[in-house]
Amino acid sequence: AQSVTQLDSQVPVFEEAPVELRCNYSSSVSVYLFWYVQYPNQGLQLLLKYLSGSTLVKGINGFEAEFNKSQTSFHLRKPSVHISDTAEYFCAVSRLGGYNKLIFGAGTRLAVHP
Amino acid sequence: GAVVSQHPSRVICKSGTSVKIECRSLDFQATTMFWYRQFPKQSLMLMATSNEGSKATYEQGVEKDKFLINHASLTLSTLTVTSAHPEDSSFYICSAAGHGAVNYEQYFGPGTRLTVT
């Protein structure tokens, strides 16, 4: 079975500051890793994913994440945030191969202040 | 990118009635669809996985007779909440994956807000 832990439920940050949203996972098998963003009353939008290869993954909206197998982490970073980045962010994993279900973390609320 | 729609976006129904939510993949063939529910300020919990033409696989604790899922075509899956009660009020989100979409990605619909009075 897989599980995902997002270590911070809320992260307040000032505009143009850097941010890191932390994600750790547990799995007995290899997994794919994803970060999604959810704006109020909307569905989820994929920010980035790690399937294989380079451990540094770049996504949309200036976000990037680094897969660390030894620490079983997949932290999300952005060097300079905007007000519009205020949203809920979810880390998720799925088993390799095919279209497998996603296991989500509890989410991190990113609040960007002017 | 691949687009998934849901209808309706919001629905209010009376306790004891049934409500159907549609999930459509607009530009790819969704061989697999997933249904999630999300309570306020909480994460998404998978309810069931459906493959086109097959019976849905429900997660532990989800009542299959209460949450009826049909995936009769490669572009449409429906979730019917039968005999709805106030505790069924939630945000229901579907996702889809399959041919014509990027490998291993699920595309999410915009969600349906169900309120049972």
Side-chain angles (χ1 to χ4, degrees):
Chain A
Q2 295 84 45
S3 66
V4 178
T5 303
Q6 291 184 242
L7 297 158
D8 306 293
S9 59
Q10 295 185 65
V11 174
V13 64
F14 287 109
E15 194 173 18
E16 298 183 3
V19 70
E20 178 181 80
L21 306 184
R22 297 180 294 168
C23 172
N24 286 90
Y25 70 94
S26 173
S27 177
S28 57
V29 298
S30 296
V31 294
Y32 298 137
L33 295 147
F34 304 83
W35 274 99
Y36 289 89
V37 61
Q38 184 180 35
Y39 298 100
N41 296 308
Q42 294 187 28
L44 273 66
Q45 180 182 13
L46 180 68
L47 284 175
L48 47 78
K49 62 184 177 184
Y50 174 78
L51 303 182
S52 65
S54 173
T55 57
L56 182 62
V57 180
K58 293 189 182 297
I60 63 171
N61 300 343
F63 285 95
E64 64 179 32
E66 185 151 22
F67 169 57
N68 188 318
K69 188 173 183 178
S70 62
Q71 297 187 9
T72 60
S73 68
F74 191 53
H75 301 333
L76 180 71
R77 302 187 184 98
K78 185 169 183 178
S80 176
V81 295
H82 301 289
I83 297 289
S84 59
D85 292 322
T86 295
E88 192 81 22
Y89 291 79
F90 292 99
C91 180
V93 302
S94 72
R95 287 190 295 115
L96 298 190
Y99 301 113
N100 294 304
K101 64 182 181 183
L102 288 165
I103 307 299
F104 286 91
T108 297
R109 170 74 177 170
L110 176 63
V112 181
H113 302 285
Chain B
V3 179
V4 175
S5 69
Q6 276 185 247
H7 178 80
S9 57
R10 290 177 175 271
V11 58
I12 301 173
C13 69
K14 292 187 176 180
S15 186
T17 62
S18 296
V19 64
K20 181 184 287 188
I21 302 169
E22 293 185 349
C23 177
R24 293 182 184 273
S25 59
L26 300 184
D27 51 5
F28 68 101
Q29 294 181 324
T31 52
T32 305
M33 285 188 169
F34 302 86
W35 286 95
Y36 299 84
R37 66 185 298 182
Q38 185 180 30
F39 290 107
K41 300 188 185 302
Q42 294 188 27
S43 188
L44 282 76
M45 298 300 296
L46 180 67
M47 299 174 67
T49 303
S50 71
N51 293 298
E52 185 263 340
S54 303
K55 288 185 178 180
T57 302
Y58 290 81
E59 294 298 300
Q60 192 171 8
V62 177
E63 299 175 61
K64 61 181 180 181
D65 294 330
K66 180 171 186 61
F67 298 99
L68 302 179
I69 291 172
N70 183 280
H71 190 172
S73 80
L74 287 171
T75 59
L76 174 64
S77 176
T78 60
L79 167 67
T80 301
V81 183
T82 63
S83 187
H85 292 285
E87 57 266 29
D88 298 323
S89 298
S90 188
F91 194 51
Y92 291 87
I93 304 176
C94 72
S95 70
H99 304 304
V102 178
N103 282 342
Y104 314 120
E105 275 192 42
Q106 296 180 26
Y107 294 90
F108 285 82
T112 296
R113 175 76 60 191
L114 170 63
T115 303
V116 185
T117 61

